[in-house]
Amino acid sequence: MWNSRRVGILGGGQLGRMLVESANRLNIQVNILDAENAPAKQISAHDGHVEGSFKEPDAVRQLAKTCDVVTAEIEHVDTYALEEIASEVRVEPSWQAIRIIQNKFNQKEHLSKYGIPMAEHRELVKNTPEELAAVADQLGYPLMLKSKTMAYDGRGNYRVNSKEDIPAALEALKDRPLYAEKWAYFKMELAVMVVKTKDDVLSYPTVETVQEDSICKLVYAPARNVPEAINQKAQELARQAVAAFDGKGVFGVEMFLLEDDSLILCEIASRIHNSGHYTIEGCPLSQFDTHIRAILDLPIPPKSLELRQPSIMLNIIGGATPDSHLKAAEHALSIPNASIHLYSKGAAKPGRKMGHITVTAPTMHEAETMIQPLIDVVDDIRA
Ligand code: ATP
Ligand code: MG
Ligand code: MG
């Protein structure tokens, strides 16, 4: 039967939970490897789940025994365990792709070979003030000092404005493997979700992302005031970048649109991505639907990746108190065409993604008008 294969997911946070929502509608069983009561497990009642961490090889081996295809909702997984299980179960995308992508410096080195434009960057090997000063002489100020690994939501980045910032930057990051990146003077941040199937590389429309304190706050689909030629160029760049990796599934590609309208790549995620949540309401098939289909070799009509209506996605981030994020969701209950997603992650911490709201409307202007009161609430509850 086409839907009888079982999918295993490393990680059961909100991304895993939304994958389960998709799989449930096709009656496809998803086995989650994560702690008991993780958000994805809460909406999936069967005894195929595994308790443990996606960083423990034994737990990954145990998950492999329960399913036909293994995938991951996060790139910071044990790829050596994935390499080992790949002889007995399919791993999508490939462990090689995840291993390269989870190290942002290796990811850039790999993409360079495929001619993908990126900000100039330099590796640090000693993490000393002298070494960073020498790198800054080449790249100029400001620059972004970045951890190669375990980076998310800007935790791992430090903006170095001048030589005076070097001690503080190294104090914050020196125990991690580092590289430095030339500052990108962008006029907009763009993202494209790409679906790699067994014989195609498909893309969703180009969206505009707005980050606050390095955390994604808003996504506008399509990107506002971006000419169709740039929309197409961004999709092409994203497809070209993802084609450089092996395996199937959805990848998130972040890009910078520079002042001269050229595009450079910021980074790739080997998984479904926050900037693709709008696809749940905005497109006939969401990024979660297409990920499940891609890894199981099920058909994906390319037209199902087109936008039905302009959409805006607003993240609900943990605020000053453990339940302040619920205020934003409560407010959204009364807004037409606002879809509320709460992730059930328990008590909120400042900066933690607790949910999101997507508004769709016939025009972007109408969507902007409808979501503005919610943006005000979200700004208000910020810690
Ligand atoms: P994510 O949560 O997307 O995985 P991350 O921690 O891996 O984030 P990046 O995506 O590298 O971090 O950077 C986070 C944000 O910092 C970017 O979206 C952008 O706003 C800013 N940024 C990153 N690199 C640069 C750069 N070279 N120049 C200017 N701004 C940058
Ligand atoms: Mg990242
Ligand atoms: Mg990023």
Side-chain angles (χ1 to χ4, degrees), residues 54 56-58 60-61 78-86 99:
F54 44 75
E56 291 164 18
D58 271 345
V60 175
R61 282 183 209 116
D78 182 343
T79 62
Y80 293 90
L82 285 181
E83 179 176 2
E84 189 190 313
I85 63 166
R99 186 174 298 167

Side-chain angles (χ1 to χ4, degrees), residues 104 254 266-267 273:
K104 289 163 83 175
E254 302 173 6
C266 170
E267 64 164 345
H273 194 260

Side-chain angles (χ1 to χ4, degrees), residues 75 104 119 144 146 151-157 179 181-186 189 211 214 254 256 266-267 271 273 353:
E75 56 271 31
K104 289 163 83 175
M144 194 69 102
K146 293 192 176 188
Y152 70 98
D153 290 345
R155 296 174 215 196
N157 286 359
Y179 72 107
E181 213 169 277
K182 196 179 172 81
W183 197 256
Y185 290 94
F186 55 81
E189 292 194 70
Q211 347 295 324
S214 285
E254 302 173 6
F256 299 129
C266 170
E267 64 164 345
R271 53 169 170 80
H273 194 260
K353 290 173 180 164

Side-chain angles (χ1 to χ4, degrees), residues 299-335:
I300 300 174
K303 273 200 97 50
S304 299
L305 275 55
E306 289 175 11
L307 203 56
R308 282 178 163 142
Q309 273 200 328
S311 311
I312 304 175
M313 192 256 2
L314 172 67
N315 270 337
I316 305 176
I317 315 264
T321 64
D323 63 355
S324 51
H325 62 283
L326 286 176
K327 258 196 224 163
E330 187 183 8
H331 204 95
L333 291 170
S334 311
I335 293 184

Side-chain angles (χ1 to χ4, degrees), residues 10 57 60-61 63-65 67-71 78-99:
L10 274 66
V60 175
R61 282 183 209 116
L63 179 76
K65 290 195 176 61
C67 56
D68 304 282
V69 188
V70 168
T71 189
D78 182 343
T79 62
Y80 293 90
L82 285 181
E83 179 176 2
E84 189 190 313
I85 63 166
S87 55
E88 56 190 90
V89 64
R90 276 169 44 199
V91 176
E92 301 293 354
S94 69
W95 57 266
Q96 292 96 330
I98 300 174
R99 186 174 298 167

Side-chain angles (χ1 to χ4, degrees), residues 29-259:
Q29 183 174 325
V30 176
N31 299 338
I32 303 288
L33 164 56
D34 208 330
E36 194 191 350
N37 209 35
K41 288 186 178 177
Q42 295 170 24
I43 60 162
S44 180
H46 58 71
D47 55 14
H49 300 304
V50 176
E51 209 177 313
S53 161
F54 44 75
K55 292 188 174 162
E56 291 164 18
D58 271 345
V60 175
R61 282 183 209 116
Q62 207 184 325
L63 179 76
K65 290 195 176 61
T66 71
C67 56
D68 304 282
V69 188
V70 168
T71 189
E73 62 144 23
I74 178 166
E75 56 271 31
H76 308 302
V77 296
D78 182 343
T79 62
Y80 293 90
L82 285 181
E83 179 176 2
E84 189 190 313
I85 63 166
S87 55
E88 56 190 90
V89 64
R90 276 169 44 199
V91 176
E92 301 293 354
S94 69
W95 57 266
Q96 292 96 330
I98 300 174
R99 186 174 298 167
I100 297 169
I101 285 173
Q102 69 179 193
N103 180 312
K104 289 163 83 175
F105 182 76
N106 293 349
Q107 178 192 133
K108 287 206 151 73
E109 293 291 287
H110 181 78
L111 288 168
S112 296
K113 293 185 213 143
Y114 291 81
I116 304 296
M118 286 167 290
E120 212 184 314
H121 51 277
R122 297 274 186 284
E123 184 176 24
L124 271 76
V125 289
K126 292 185 289 210
N127 295 3
T128 58
E130 297 72 33
E131 185 186 34
L132 181 52
V135 162
D137 283 342
Q138 295 169 14
L139 298 177
Y141 294 101
L143 61 77
M144 194 69 102
L145 185 64
K146 293 192 176 188
S147 174
K148 293 179 181 174
T149 57
M150 300 300 292
Y152 70 98
D153 290 345
R155 296 174 215 196
N157 286 359
Y158 198 106
R159 179 183 168 141
V160 182
N161 288 315
S162 67
K163 203 167 176 173
E164 283 67 55
D165 289 346
I166 288 181
L170 286 175
E171 189 47 42
L173 294 176
K174 68 174 181 324
D175 296 332
R176 302 171 69 170
L178 300 178
Y179 72 107
E181 213 169 277
K182 196 179 172 81
W183 197 256
Y185 290 94
F186 55 81
K187 57 179 175 188
M188 195 183 272
E189 292 194 70
L190 301 176
V192 171
M193 301 307 304
V194 174
V195 191
K196 204 155 172 286
T197 67
K198 65 180 187 327
D199 31 42
D200 253 326
V201 185
L202 307 169
S203 51
Y204 283 95
T206 302
V207 302
E208 169 187 355
T209 67
V210 178
Q211 347 295 324
E212 210 168 75
D213 299 332
S214 285
I215 303 180
C216 175
K217 179 183 186 187
L218 283 155
V219 172
Y220 294 87
R224 292 171 302 172
N225 307 316
V226 166
E228 185 53 23
I230 291 178
N231 176 345
Q232 291 300 331
K233 213 168 69 169
Q235 289 192 52
E236 276 160 34
L237 175 60
R239 289 195 301 260
Q240 205 190 335
V242 170
F245 295 95
D246 287 333
K248 291 175 277 197
V250 167
F251 292 71
V253 183
E254 302 173 6
M255 286 163 280
F256 299 129
L257 178 63
L258 304 181
E259 293 297 339

